[in-house]
Amino acid sequence: MSRISSLLAAILIITGTLFARPAAAANTNAKPFVVPELRQWTGKTGSFTPGAGCTITIADTTLAKVARDFADDYKTMFGTELPVKVGKSAKGNIHFALKANSKLGTEGYTVEISDRVAVTAPTVTGAYWSTRTLLQIAEQSDSHSLPCGRITDWPDYALRGLSMDVGRKFFPMDYLKDLVKILSYYKMNSLRIHLNDNGFPYYFGNDWDKTYSAFRMESTRFPGLTARDGYYTKDEFRDFQRFAAGEFVDIVPEIDIPAHALAFSKYKKGIGSEEFGQDHLNLFNEETMPFLDQLFDEYLGGDNPVFVNEYVHIGTDEFGKDYAGFENKKATIEKFRSFMDHYIKLVEGYGKKPWVWGSLSTAPGDTPVKTEGVMLDAWYNGYADPKEMVKLGFKLNSIPDGMVYIVPNAGYYHDYLNNQWLYTNWTPARVGNVQFDEKDPAIAGGYFAVWNDHVGNGISVQDVHHRIMHSIATMAVKLWDGINVSVPFEEFDKERLILSEAPGINRLGKVGKPNSLVYEAAKVAPGTTLPVKELGYGYTVEFDITAVPEEKGTVLFSSDDATLYLSDPVKGLLGFSRDGYLNTFNFRPYPGEKAHIKITGDNKSTTLWVNGSKYESLDKITQWHNEGKNKMYHLQTLVFPLNHTGNFKSAISNLKAYNYIAE
């Protein structure tokens, strides 16, 4: 890995922001690269390498789970089993203990690395975050050594999270669990699950009945409300929240009302708004609130509630946003304020803390809305002036839309976040064009968000994941360290790529050293398992084929996430499917034909080459469009599946897979 010499005491100016790398004494260890960056480091000489007999010791059983999780992750990543026992710090061991330290808050920790590793933290949470640091350092060398020195680390902001729109695109539970592990590995501690939403009607013939909508929770109280194309059972959602808590990540479920609510108005006819559109609820209909009260009760009530964590989000964003003259509709505004107040108090009545979207600046009125103890998403200052919201008593989550919103392949907000700008200019104290003091107590922290606005645009789980991983390191640094970053962006952006997604997680399909051949086989037999599961974006896979007629639906390669067809199920063409989308090349080999096939893929397109010439590229095309700017682009990407071979009849030989695009 690159390092700026500690002797230079370099001062670098990167895109307008000053970074000063602290100097280290001669022959002492430079500060290890960790995401988020370590707050304080005192370098010493030498290193600690866990050797034979290395044991994880804990001062008492309070830290048993942290130690076991660390041992499990260490074995997953490095193949070495470290036993855990109660005991004292000793040479050659890794020791964890709780120790009061008011300067470290509830999440800070210290690590002394010498002839042993000694971790102390005021809380179990801090001790757990120290294990993420140790794993990240250890994975950066073949010997998994730790440089000797002292780490003192703590976050500037207590809330560090991601909002996932599963309402407009379903994400399987196994992915959400992997995402939790990833967030945890980067010391992000909150994940919001946006459980309901709908598409834009102009992509569905301006017909509300045809416009896509979904509510992702199992409902036994309202049979038929749950989306049929993907949902979470009550038991698996309970388990998910408890699993995440074990990774020190809080799950925040969101039921978004009274806008973004087409799933509810479709289910219960008559409660949709004729005035604002069926994705808005009619607040004056006497059946609307009793229905919603029962809906919330299904997940918050009883002896075994479905939503088990501290916070529950009730939405409240963008009500009446497209209606000219909404600000003059006094009765509606007062009703909206009453509605918002009712659901804040309803959530509190179940012993939960309410969370809302900022919207009150567009609905000024006389009806009181409870604010104390309520978390508010400061997302767009036109809807909720952040300074005014603080005066009202809200606690703010900084999630400014123009800075931290990802809307995949939509052409607005960000397809990929601007990491360099965020790294050098943003902290949660900057909410749009409003600047707070750093660590202002009114700001709990910050989020970034994924919104799947363009329903049916071909975006896969892998595509969304690629966008999240592009920015998770940047967001983790800015939410933990605030303005206290010293690593220049170019160095940070290079070295972050060295780190794993999380222990045992490789959703990006990173295989082998950069720019290398990662797998080859002289012959490929049907019905076998290959050692490479998937190849992530920026790959080349090539092979020779001697073709015979294949049945429709004949698989060439597959993984848990995708299938490459030698003969697709519809037309019998070479193609692939993932996330329910079938994409085909206009190509099938002739019976008896011998051909050299090459497929290359990145995060924008998938390209077929036949006998050395480019045959067809599946890239961004207009799928639907309305008048003017309302266009939707269809993405036809593929994280290449190699894990299993299908039951094909053709002869496949000379298979080669590269982790770069070889044209």
Side-chain angles (χ1 to χ4, degrees):
M1 296 183 301
S2 65
R3 282 287 181 272
I4 296 177
S5 171
S6 60
L7 298 177
L8 294 179
I11 297 178
L12 297 162
I13 298 177
I14 306 296
T15 61
T17 299
L18 186 68
F19 293 96
R21 298 299 299 273
N27 300 320
T28 61
N29 293 316
K31 182 163 75 171
F33 181 82
V34 174
V35 175
E37 183 179 341
L38 300 176
R39 299 302 295 270
Q40 292 181 2
W41 166 258
T42 302
K44 298 180 181 179
T45 59
S47 63
F48 173 87
T49 302
C54 179
T55 298
I56 299 172
T57 57
I58 53 177
D60 61 70
T61 56
T62 307
L63 291 166
K65 185 179 185 305
V66 167
R68 286 196 301 269
D69 288 349
F70 176 53
D72 290 345
D73 289 340
Y74 198 93
K75 183 177 181 181
T76 296
M77 296 179 76
F78 312 129
T80 301
E81 188 162 350
L82 301 178
V84 176
K85 68 177 184 180
V86 176
K88 295 181 179 180
S89 178
K91 181 178 179 180
N93 288 348
I94 301 172
H95 184 71
F96 293 89
L98 296 180
K99 182 180 179 181
N101 187 334
S102 60
K103 295 181 180 179
L104 295 179
T106 60
E107 296 185 274
Y109 61 92
T110 65
V111 183
E112 291 275 3
I113 306 170
S114 56
D115 62 355
R116 70 200 69 192
V117 176
V119 175
T120 59
T123 67
V124 172
T125 302
Y128 180 79
W129 292 143
S130 79
T131 67
R132 308 302 92 182
T133 292
L134 294 173
L135 290 170
Q136 285 191 14
I137 297 173
E139 72 165 302
Q140 295 178 59
S141 69
D142 292 339
S143 63
H144 316 307
S145 63
L146 307 172
C148 291
R150 178 180 173 85
I151 296 167
T152 306
D153 202 15
W154 69 92
D156 269 0
Y157 294 95
L159 179 66
R160 307 177 299 277
L162 168 66
S163 179
M164 283 291 286
D165 173 11
V166 306
R168 286 175 285 205
K169 176 171 178 57
F170 179 68
F171 290 80
M173 184 56 73
D174 65 341
Y175 175 73
L176 294 183
K177 287 186 174 182
D178 281 356
L179 182 57
V180 162
K181 292 180 181 178
I182 293 163
L183 290 170
S184 176
Y185 197 55
Y186 291 89
K187 302 187 181 77
M188 303 277 276
N189 62 4
S190 188
L191 174 61
R192 175 158 66 235
I193 306 297
H194 182 79
L195 288 165
N196 66 282
D197 218 314
N198 47 266
F200 300 137
Y202 44 74
Y203 292 127
F204 299 90
N206 286 307
D207 185 336
W208 286 114
D209 289 335
K210 295 179 180 178
T211 300
Y212 183 86
S213 65
F215 175 62
R216 299 297 183 192
M217 284 301 308
E218 173 191 16
S219 176
T220 52
R221 187 167 293 179
F222 299 107
L225 173 61
T226 303
R228 296 185 183 275
D229 64 340
Y231 67 92
Y232 312 115
T233 69
K234 293 178 181 180
D235 283 342
E236 73 177 336
F237 204 77
R238 290 186 188 100
D239 174 69
F240 173 51
Q241 293 164 91
R242 295 181 181 116
F243 163 81
E247 301 285 331
F248 292 81
V249 175
D250 292 326
I251 302 301
V252 180
E254 178 185 0
I255 297 177
D256 198 358
I257 51 174
H260 300 274
L262 182 60
F264 305 135
S265 67
K266 276 186 176 182
Y267 175 79
K268 188 169 180 61
K269 299 298 183 183
I271 67 170
S273 174
E274 297 297 329
E275 185 175 20
F276 301 129
Q278 291 296 301
D279 60 343
H280 285 52
L281 299 178
N282 182 350
L283 305 186
F284 294 95
N285 187 317
E286 294 182 354
E287 297 183 357
T288 299
M289 290 176 66
F291 166 73
L292 295 174
D293 289 354
Q294 288 297 303
L295 184 70
F296 275 95
D297 182 74
E298 182 168 9
Y299 305 106
L300 293 172
D303 297 331
N304 187 24
V306 178
F307 297 163
V308 303
N309 284 350
E310 182 179 34
Y311 277 101
V312 173
H313 204 302
I314 62 169
T316 72
D317 59 315
E318 299 188 299
F319 188 79
K321 77 179 182 70
D322 293 326
Y323 189 91
F326 177 78
E327 66 277 7
N328 299 319
K329 300 187 73 61
K330 178 69 172 174
T332 301
I333 287 173
E334 298 297 342
K335 190 68 174 176
F336 171 74
R337 293 174 65 90
S338 175
F339 179 96
M340 186 174 178
D341 184 69
H342 172 82
Y343 285 100
I344 286 172
K345 292 174 179 175
L346 181 141
V347 165
E348 289 181 326
Y350 289 98
K352 304 296 184 182
K353 292 183 178 180
W355 196 321
V356 300
W357 287 102
S359 60
L360 284 181
S361 293
T362 61
D366 303 318
T367 303
V369 176
K370 188 178 188 302
T371 61
E372 293 296 329
V374 180
M375 185 77 75
L376 180 140
D377 285 314
W379 70 281
Y380 178 61
N381 297 353
Y383 275 90
D385 179 272
K387 294 283 189 179
E388 289 300 317
M389 295 302 105
V390 170
K391 290 179 182 178
L392 288 175
F394 288 108
K395 194 85 166 179
L396 299 189
N397 174 39
S398 180
I399 183 171
D401 59 344
M403 299 173 179
V404 297
Y405 273 20
I406 298 169
V407 186
N409 209 41
Y412 57 87
Y413 285 130
H414 297 279
D415 191 21
Y416 288 80
L417 295 185
N418 186 339
N419 287 342
Q420 183 167 3
W421 187 91
L422 289 167
Y423 189 85
T424 57
N425 294 284
W426 186 78
T427 74
R430 183 168 181 173
V431 186
N433 60 358
V434 174
Q435 182 70 51
F436 287 80
D437 291 336
E438 289 297 327
K439 298 190 289 186
D440 187 310
I443 299 177
Y447 260 51
F448 69 121
V450 174
W451 300 107
N452 298 296
D453 290 9
H454 285 194
V455 178
N457 67 345
I459 287 285
S460 70
V461 170
Q462 306 285 57
D463 290 320
V464 173
H465 184 68
H466 196 261
R467 286 155 173 78
I468 290 171
M469 291 308 302
H470 175 73
S471 291
I472 195 166
T474 300
M475 293 300 298
V477 167
K478 301 306 291 184
L479 293 169
W480 183 277
D481 296 298
I483 61 172
N484 302 295
V485 291
S486 66
V487 181
F489 176 75
E490 283 80 359
E491 182 180 350
F492 163 81
D493 200 41
K494 178 181 178 181
E495 296 203 22
R496 71 176 177 85
L497 299 175
I498 297 170
L499 298 179
S500 300
E501 297 177 48
I505 306 298
N506 185 20
R507 289 268 179 177
L508 290 176
K510 294 168 71 172
V511 182
K513 295 181 179 180
N515 301 309
S516 63
L517 171 68
V518 298
Y519 181 73
E520 61 180 328
K523 293 186 180 296
V524 179
T528 59
T529 298
L530 304 183
V532 177
K533 178 184 175 183
E534 295 173 325
L535 272 182
Y537 297 137
Y539 63 80
T540 301
V541 176
E542 59 183 351
F543 55 88
D544 293 325
I545 182 172
T546 301
V548 301
E550 302 279 7
E551 298 291 329
K552 288 182 179 179
T554 297
V555 173
L556 182 53
F557 298 113
S558 68
S559 69
D560 292 342
D561 300 308
T563 300
L564 182 75
Y565 291 104
L566 195 54
S567 174
D568 86 84
V570 179
K571 296 182 179 179
L573 299 171
L574 182 66
F576 58 89
S577 64
R578 78 288 187 282
D579 284 42
Y581 296 103
L582 178 64
N583 302 281
T584 57
F585 299 103
N586 190 29
F587 174 83
R588 68 166 61 86
Y590 300 121
E593 181 180 10
K594 295 182 179 180
H596 182 72
I597 302 296
K598 181 171 75 173
I599 298 172
T600 60
D602 59 21
N603 63 327
K604 295 181 180 179
S605 63
T606 311
T607 301
L608 172 66
W609 308 69
V610 180
N611 295 328
S613 298
K614 182 185 288 189
Y615 188 90
E616 184 179 5
S617 184
L618 304 179
D619 51 18
K620 189 170 73 171
I621 60 172
T622 301
Q623 184 184 31
W624 295 299
H625 67 88
N626 200 4
E627 295 180 1
K629 66 179 182 180
N630 297 325
K631 294 179 172 61
M632 185 183 290
Y633 297 98
H634 188 64
L635 202 64
Q636 300 177 89
T637 51
L638 176 67
V639 170
F640 199 93
L642 269 176
N643 205 189
H644 306 289
T645 63
N647 293 316
F648 49 84
K649 300 174 184 176
S650 301
I652 307 297
S653 60
N654 299 321
L655 171 67
K656 293 183 179 180
Y658 305 85
N659 61 10
Y660 63 96
I661 293 179
E663 297 184 4

